[in-house]
Amino acid sequence: MLLWHSPTSAAVATAASPIAARSGGLLRSSRPAPVVVRCKKVDSLRAINGSPPCIPVSDRSLLTPVTLPVFRDPSMRNDTRLRIFSGTANPSLSQEIASYLGLELGKINIKRFADGEIYVQLQESVRGCDVFLVQPTCPPANENLMELLIMIDACRRASAKNITAVIPYFGYARADRKSQGRESIAAKLVANMITEAGANRVLVCDLHSSQAMGYFDIPVDHVYGQPVILDYLASKTICSNDLVVVSPDVGGVARARAFAKKLSDAPLAIVDKRRHGHNVAEASIIVMNLIGDVRGKVAVMMDDMIDTAGTIAKGAELLHQEGAREVYACCTHAVFSPPAIERLSSGLFQEVIITNTIPLKEEKTFPQLTILSVANLLGEIIWRVHDDCSVGHEPYSSLDID
């Protein structure tokens, strides 16, 4: 509490110095008043052609975009309690997210010792701050997961108020159940590790199965990347009557059906296949049948991820045999383990549309590949979580998947 006896410089000096106040005397000093220094920020991403970034919502038309909300109070972007830190897995996506929020990435030192151990040191104070750590657990999954855990621990020991692990791609998500005896459920184990490390909240994008959210004992914000793909498809001159959405397997029917609903209730087709191993050769994946009609239509195959591309490539072959005019492959997570590039660039697909939740090396690109950014989507969710706003409505966290 500051007690002003008179508007004198001595009283000002007393109020400015708690030590002098305790000693009972007046501290006479010519030091100037403290200067408040605000954190620097960079310009946010500018929209193309003057139009704000948008993502579509459901409507009777093929694709109807909705404009992302702008900040109600621009001065709130200077809120120094919000900190964004990036791991080494996908720094370019982290930078895009920070730019959307009008912030700079937090300073952090991450290095590997000669024996492979990971060292993390925050190079700025996060005491009392709302910290978001952007780190997908993409290949090398174990390295990136361990790095995320150590980053969380560093923030917890630095007295961060809230720690949110932003995981654009959640590794081990496919190990979500026991399909055979004596198997581990690695998704639950990883969820426990993130929780025990000190995370207060998790933000994930397109989990392989939604029930994995229940493995966490902390709040989970599940964001879908499909709206970004829908927004891109809006720029293509495809007649809604020519579209058919195809699920590459029975397990992805709910995802494909929700995607088809956004495309003005486009018809749905399903590839019935059986898998006889994990990441195995195409000879072990037997396509049984196609449920639905694709003759003369533009088929859009929708999945959450593409790993070796065996499933989606065999499905595309079947679609062409059944008379599909063009085949598009869409997914959120491009894992692209060998021989995915050879299969995807073999001419089966008119275009392969992915997002940047996983960074792609130059040697993994090919002419038919289109990479879309989820930075604005994740940035908006981060701001809403920080500002205690709801994220539980379209288009941010729901595709009406039941």
Side-chain angles (χ1 to χ4, degrees), residues 127 166 275 311 352:
R127 185 177 296 274
V166 181
R275 184 194 300 273
T311 298
V352 178

Side-chain angles (χ1 to χ4, degrees), residues 5-66:
H5 299 289
S6 62
T8 62
S9 60
V12 172
T14 303
S17 177
I19 298 176
R22 290 195 200 98
S23 62
L26 297 179
L27 177 63
R28 301 184 181 276
S29 172
S30 59
R31 290 182 298 175
V35 178
V36 178
V37 180
R38 297 188 181 276
C39 291
K40 297 179 180 179
K41 66 176 185 177
V42 297
D43 293 334
S44 58
L45 291 176
R46 288 181 168 81
I48 301 176
N49 298 326
S51 300
C54 59
I55 49 185
V57 295
S58 179
D59 195 73
R60 296 307 302 174
S61 60
L62 172 60
L63 291 170
T64 304
V66 59

Side-chain angles (χ1 to χ4, degrees), residues 124-372:
E124 58 184 71
S125 175
V126 296
R127 185 177 296 274
C129 293
D130 204 359
V131 177
F132 291 82
L133 305 175
V134 183
Q135 175 79 343
T137 54
C138 52
N142 298 332
E143 282 279 317
N144 291 328
L145 173 61
M146 194 64 199
E147 182 179 305
L148 173 63
L149 297 175
I150 298 176
M151 290 171 64
I152 294 172
D153 183 71
C155 292
R156 180 175 62 87
R157 297 180 187 277
S159 302
K161 183 178 181 181
N162 292 303
I163 304 171
T164 300
V166 181
I167 311 175
Y169 170 71
F170 183 71
Y172 290 102
R174 286 174 283 184
D176 57 355
R177 66 190 183 279
K178 291 180 67 174
S179 58
Q180 301 178 40
R182 299 178 296 280
E183 284 186 336
S184 69
I185 304 179
K188 172 59 177 173
L189 173 62
V190 173
N192 288 343
M193 293 168 65
I194 292 173
T195 303
E196 291 300 319
N200 304 110
R201 178 182 291 270
V202 172
L203 197 165
V204 293
C205 186
D206 263 320
L207 284 171
H208 186 64
S209 56
S210 297
Q211 72 256 24
M213 288 188 287
Y215 295 158
F216 290 90
D217 297 324
I218 54 179
V220 177
D221 291 306
H222 188 198
V223 184
Y224 291 93
Q226 284 92 335
V228 178
I229 299 174
L230 286 167
D231 193 29
Y232 173 74
L233 290 176
S235 65
K236 308 188 76 63
T237 56
I238 303 175
C239 179
S240 59
N241 295 329
D242 293 338
L243 277 173
V244 57
V245 176
V246 181
S247 173
D249 54 31
V250 176
V253 170
R255 182 182 299 104
R257 185 174 65 242
F259 193 76
K261 185 184 294 186
K262 300 297 179 180
L263 294 175
S264 190
D265 288 330
L268 180 67
I270 303 169
V271 176
D272 177 28
K273 60 92 183 176
R274 296 183 182 180
R275 184 194 300 273
H276 295 286
H278 306 291
N279 302 108
V280 292
E282 61 180 24
S284 298
I285 299 179
I286 305 173
V287 176
M288 301 298 295
N289 197 10
L290 176 67
I291 305 171
D293 181 25
V294 298
R295 187 168 301 278
K297 293 183 177 292
V298 176
V300 179
M301 303 187 73
M302 185 67 221
D303 210 348
D304 64 316
M305 70 173 69
I306 297 177
D307 191 355
T308 61
T311 298
I312 203 165
K314 292 289 288 185
E317 291 178 6
L318 179 63
L319 293 176
H320 282 293
Q321 292 171 10
E322 295 294 329
R325 190 169 81 241
E326 294 177 349
V327 178
Y328 289 79
C330 303
C331 80
T332 303
H333 309 301
V335 182
F336 286 2
S337 303
I341 305 303
E342 290 77 8
R343 290 169 171 168
L344 295 174
S345 60
S346 62
L348 290 171
F349 301 98
Q350 180 76 14
E351 191 172 2
V352 178
I353 305 168
I354 64 173
T355 71
N356 62 342
T357 56
I358 298 176
L360 273 189
K361 297 180 180 179
E362 187 67 26
E363 58 267 21
K364 288 189 176 183
T365 60
F366 49 94
Q368 298 94 333
L369 184 66
T370 299
I371 304 175
L372 307 177

Side-chain angles (χ1 to χ4, degrees), residues 97-120:
I97 293 173
S99 297
Y100 174 82
L101 293 169
L103 300 171
E104 290 183 343
L105 286 175
K107 297 178 181 178
I108 186 171
N109 180 23
I110 303 175
K111 63 182 180 180
R112 264 73 172 171
F113 290 110
D115 61 354
E117 294 180 4
I118 301 172
Y119 172 83
V120 173

